[in-house]
Amino acid sequence: IDTRIGPITLAGTRSETGTDVLHHLVMDGQAHAPDPSGWTEDPGAFDDLIGQLHGYFAGERTRFDVVTATSGTAFQEAVWAGLGDIPYGETWSYLQLATHIGRPTAVRAVGLANGRNPVPIVVACHRVVGADGSLTGYAGGVDRKRALLELERPR
């Protein structure tokens, strides 16, 4: 889909009940992007999520209601779950996130796991910043991180 931060590809599966399950949200040029070989296009997939994303980019939605299925280590999954606790419009430092998941000495590992988040935006890894508030790292690029934080900034 086309968005204000560039093209986004949604990849996943459909459950036996017909529910779309999101495995990846990939931004054009994103670091650590999955290999799309074997993916097939389904124009009817993720219609609801596409609407939610358009609402998010219009400033009308602050949370996503989508089933996700990520595949990471237990530590990565803990980091990604912790990202869901960062409120819309707020930022946490890597140390805050590490402390939140009970691993205050694992700040660097939290940063690495954050960068491997397979469903950015939906699981808002862009809300994690450096201890001094700097926009350090983002798999989608710092310009996108800045744009997403600006979008979420209270008015």
Side-chain angles (χ1 to χ4, degrees):
I1 63 170
D2 288 322
T3 72
R4 67 192 298 171
I5 61 166
I8 289 176
T9 299
L10 305 173
T13 55
R14 185 162 290 132
S15 74
E16 290 180 12
T17 62
T19 302
D20 289 324
V21 180
L22 182 67
H23 295 264
H24 298 283
L25 184 152
V26 184
M27 294 172 268
D28 194 39
Q30 171 182 320
H32 315 296
D35 178 5
S37 61
W39 291 3
T40 56
E41 188 171 348
D42 180 353
F46 296 109
D47 284 342
D48 186 55
L49 177 55
I50 291 168
Q52 291 180 49
L53 284 163
H54 287 308
Y56 170 79
F57 285 112
E60 300 163 354
R61 175 174 281 277
T62 62
R63 298 190 70 75
F64 293 95
D65 181 22
V66 61
V67 177
T68 61
T70 55
S71 179
T73 66
F75 181 79
Q76 288 173 323
E77 295 287 344
V79 170
W80 301 336
L83 291 170
D85 296 330
I86 305 173
Y88 179 91
E90 293 185 23
T91 58
W92 287 4
S93 70
Y94 291 96
L95 176 59
Q96 284 176 288
L97 180 57
T99 301
H100 180 72
I101 66 165
R103 301 289 300 271
T105 61
V107 175
R108 286 180 184 250
V110 163
L112 291 172
N114 192 54
R116 298 284 183 170
N117 173 15
V119 289
I121 302 171
V122 170
V123 174
C125 53
H126 60 274
R127 296 180 188 149
V128 183
V129 297
D132 62 357
S134 61
L135 303 186
T136 59
Y138 185 60
V142 174
D143 288 342
R144 284 189 179 121
K145 183 173 190 166
R146 182 178 295 108
L148 292 169
L149 292 173
E150 178 65 25
L151 172 72
E152 294 184 7
R153 193 177 70 181
R155 308 245 181 270

